[in-house]
Amino acid sequence: MLVLDAGATAYEASSRATGYLSLRGETPAESPLAQEAEKLWDGLDEELGYPTEWTQKGRIWAAFNERELDELKQLYGTFRKTNVPFEFLSGDDLREMMPCLSESCLGGIWTHRSGHANPQRTSQAFAWAFNDRGGEIREYTPVLEILTEGGKAKGVRTLQGELHSDKLALCAAAHNTLLLEPLGIHFPLAPVRLEALVTTPMPPLFEQAFIGNGLSIRQTKRGNLHMNGGPYEWVDLEIGKEAAKPNTQIVRNILRRAIETMPVLKGAQFLRSWAGIVDMAPDQMTTIHKFDSPEGLVTAACSGHGFGMAPAVGIAVSELLLKGETRMPIDQLSLDRFNKVSTDWRAKRRWEAGQYNT
Amino acid sequence: MQGKIVVVGASAGGCRVALAAQAAGHDVTLVDEHPQAMKDMSFDAPWFYGAGLPSALLNDNSIAQAVLEGSPELIECLESGVDVRVSTVLWGAFRNGPNSVNVGRPRVGLVNRDGNEILEHDTLVIATGVRDFVPSFKGWELPGVFGGKAGIAMLDLYQVFEGRKAVVLGTSELALRFIRSALARGTEIVAVIEAGQEVYAGPEAAAWLAERGIPVHLRHVVHEALGKTEVSGAICVSLDGDATFAVDCDSIAVAIATLPNIELPAAMGCKMHYDPGLASWVPEVDARGETSLESVYWLRDDASSEALLASIKGETNADRFPPHAAQTQPTLDYIKTWISALHESGGDDVNICQCETVTRGEFCGIAPPSYLGQGLRHAQSPIVHSDAARAPRINQDFMKRMTRVSMGHCQGKRCRDEASIALALRFGVDPDAIRPASYRFPLRPIDLALIADDDESEDIRLHWQMWPYETRQD
């Protein structure tokens, strides 16, 4: 088994991710797969042999004004289509479990399940565990082309030449779109740049995975507050080229929102910011697809919540590749659901490179 | 050079550029973080003050006065109408570029003790000078350990130096400057410790030290700074045979080398290359100092501003200024000598990262931070697995993320260079084959309350993405 990465391990989406496992109340079609991932997360440190910082302390979606509260209540109807124990709580109930939460929080959705982990540490833990089992990861080796022959997967072309295999898993986020296009396959994904930051360590404040006021905020095991959010800037990627991931002055707005959300953060310091590229599908859901033609090719991408889903997605992809079928619940996640998505969908959505705030 | 100009760094070179640009009719803002608030000094950036900051530094007025009086060029800038911002940190710089095309005119983020401001401009001149290089040794966290630049600043600029008996590490020009200033203020130099075979600043410097009866210990390093709450002495060890001696002192000036402040051009995405002469990655620049980013200039040192000054004055023959000559004695070799000697004699059980309390051994062994209470199932190596010619051999960001060395509140300013050289030495990798740890905005840690925006536009507020509606469907 050989894994090729265009750059270093855990360098792209893993370095941008907040580190949440979402149980996908907002997209119930994905929820069964997310719940399979949750079971795997609980044993991951032991299975891999390396720390992931998995923290299973529940998740909060909080509303900070009446409009958000109405929207969240409406969304709660969707959440209840899953079999996850979600509850709608008042602001006071939320503050009781998370005392640092601002008085302006009016209420929100809560589940004691799901959690968060350290994305870089987790991705590296997978990589090391893979090495320990005899796998090889070749870094800085971008795939330039998917090779097929007679309707079957044949291998890939890299700068170092061709590598041949009749079984290929393409998990290159929004690069999937570019690499599948020459095969006449349309995988609609739009890359988008997002910003993230951390503060200096604070005393223990909360352990839940928190979402509200336009931010995702978690406190790391070290104590830093890790957050991201803000307007999306849609971009284009190039095969074989590392994407630029600049920050903007929007980090100031993120910090203001952080203080609004948890006033105690006034006492923290802004330490570090960075940005990353996320791949977004039209319905913002995970895709896992096995092709009949070319046979031997499987692809996956997770619309910005792949980190938490990864343990289950990994099993689904490997089973599809090796056995042709999987025990993971992915019936509603194939590429077929995009059959009617036109090739100019990004323009129609205003998700084309350069567009902002859409 | 065009339009509104921001010069960051009020060194002599930075001031001269600001004055020339002002005289040529530009609107110029000159930014400098000095004099720093005492809290900011404690991050040891750019100068390594250490934990023993004299309380006299709390007197803002006299400190500000000292800084102004110490720089006639800065006073000239003030008098010439340059918009001078002292005690102001330039924490970020933003401009349109790949994957960010909505910034508009280039802008820098400024923050001082009262608040923050976003300043639009056309041209940015980076004249941010150098910082102290201070490698680890046992006890280097103690008050009384400081860098050469910080020591000279406390002696000459702020005039608050309280040390009476100092041990000096290093025999570079920086060490000699510190020693001259210290002697002038009546501080006794009880020992000069040099890891190398000879006085690095040359035979004349050696003779000068000998004339003054200053004991110089070649082929020695400091083994340990002694003291419970502050430095009370030092144990030094010979690199030939392990003989040790102890000295009484209240100060240990680490004056081995300085390194250029490159965090701004690096974080902006200027193309960088490794310069062994400076032991640092530095921006690639043309004869006038323009980086790979248009209208962003980087001044390597005060002397390298000549071509830029000529061009501001309208002279077109910038080619007559020769490119910077390579240093005959690369700083890299000297730094390597020191780190290698300190690590061999001091061993693995010394904190390399003060902020996160991580030892050299834990760092090189990629140990997870102790607060996780978990180890690695099998030993792992930081060497990149790749046969691509352009691949780095080691990613310092990977080491940072796994061990937290350089992830603390000093943002790696204390330890990142030693960490990188330590990796080079232990794993037999050239320093330029190590992808350096990324520099990030903000360039200094900033209180959230100072930096948080209070003018979020309706447009931004309206379009702010609200999870779980990850993207608005309109």
Side-chain angles (χ1 to χ4, degrees), chain A residues 46 139 193 256 270 284, chain B residues 99 377 385-386 453 471:
Chain A
E46 183 50 37
E139 302 174 285
R193 181 182 57 80
R256 186 187 74 155
F270 176 27
Q284 297 158 39
Chain B
N99 296 344
R377 182 167 287 165
H385 305 275
S386 178
D453 163 73
T471 49

Side-chain angles (χ1 to χ4, degrees), chain A residues 184-199:
Chain A
I185 297 166
H186 180 47
F187 191 160
L189 292 170
V192 62
R193 181 182 57 80
L194 292 174
E195 304 193 34
L197 60 87
V198 289
T199 69

